[in-house]
Amino acid sequence: MTDLQATPVGDLNEKLDENPVQEDQYRMIWIGTGIAVFGNFLSSLSFQLQRLAHQRNTKGLPYTSIPLWWAGFALMALGEVGNFLAYGMAPASLVSPLGAVAVISNAVLSRIVLKEPLSWRRLIGVILALLGSV
């Protein structure tokens, strides 16, 4: 028998608490979770900036000549790189549901950046997305 099989549950918890490998794994999961949330928020902000660039384009210029559109594009790339890194640090079963952060922040940021109304229907959708990701 190994010493883990022969030890009582209390002693097992103490052994797990002392294990630096497990502490590093938990740290990586927390870092990956934070990166996923931040990456999804950046992606959401990028959509809002690109939509704002399209709304302000009254001259009919190609969108690729608008600096605000490129700023949104850069934020989208950065956010997706963050999501890519998050999948390497935390389990996919944790990172994937955090995509709901993009839905929630899109609803909030569209209200702030684009001055769109936040209807009851959207608010209920945000609440349900939040509950579904928890």
Side-chain angles (χ1 to χ4, degrees), residues 1-62:
M1 262 194 204
T2 65
D3 62 335
L4 288 178
Q5 291 174 336
T7 59
V9 174
D11 292 339
L12 179 61
N13 286 334
E14 289 173 13
K15 286 186 182 226
L16 290 176
D17 289 339
E18 295 171 1
N19 187 351
V21 173
Q22 191 173 27
E23 287 178 19
D24 286 343
Q25 288 173 343
Y26 284 134
R27 187 175 302 118
M28 292 297 284
I29 289 171
W30 279 107
I31 291 171
T33 301
I35 290 173
V37 168
F38 189 66
N40 282 311
F41 178 77
L42 283 181
S43 293
S44 177
L45 181 61
S46 76
F47 294 136
Q48 301 306 318
L49 290 179
Q50 287 181 326
R51 286 182 63 199
L52 185 62
H54 284 287
Q55 285 180 354
R56 288 184 179 174
N57 186 12
T58 57
K59 296 178 185 176
L61 298 171

Side-chain angles (χ1 to χ4, degrees), residues 5-132:
Q5 291 174 336
T7 59
V9 174
D11 292 339
L12 179 61
N13 286 334
E14 289 173 13
K15 286 186 182 226
L16 290 176
D17 289 339
E18 295 171 1
N19 187 351
V21 173
Q22 191 173 27
E23 287 178 19
D24 286 343
Q25 288 173 343
Y26 284 134
R27 187 175 302 118
M28 292 297 284
I29 289 171
W30 279 107
I31 291 171
T33 301
I35 290 173
V37 168
F38 189 66
N40 282 311
F41 178 77
L42 283 181
S43 293
S44 177
L45 181 61
S46 76
F47 294 136
Q48 301 306 318
L49 290 179
Q50 287 181 326
R51 286 182 63 199
L52 185 62
H54 284 287
Q55 285 180 354
R56 288 184 179 174
N57 186 12
T58 57
K59 296 178 185 176
L61 298 171
Y63 59 87
T64 55
S65 66
I66 303 170
L68 186 61
W69 186 89
W70 281 106
F73 184 82
L75 285 178
M76 184 188 320
L78 189 62
E80 293 306 320
V81 166
N83 282 332
F84 180 75
L85 290 173
Y87 277 106
M89 298 175 140
S93 60
L94 177 65
V95 174
S96 292
L98 292 175
V101 169
V103 174
I104 296 165
S105 57
N106 262 327
V108 173
L109 288 174
S110 68
R111 172 84 173 130
I112 295 169
V113 175
L114 302 172
K115 309 293 187 238
E116 291 183 355
L118 184 62
S119 65
W120 282 104
R121 187 175 182 179
R122 281 189 183 179
L123 184 61
I124 290 171
V126 166
I127 292 169
L128 289 175
L130 182 63
L131 291 175

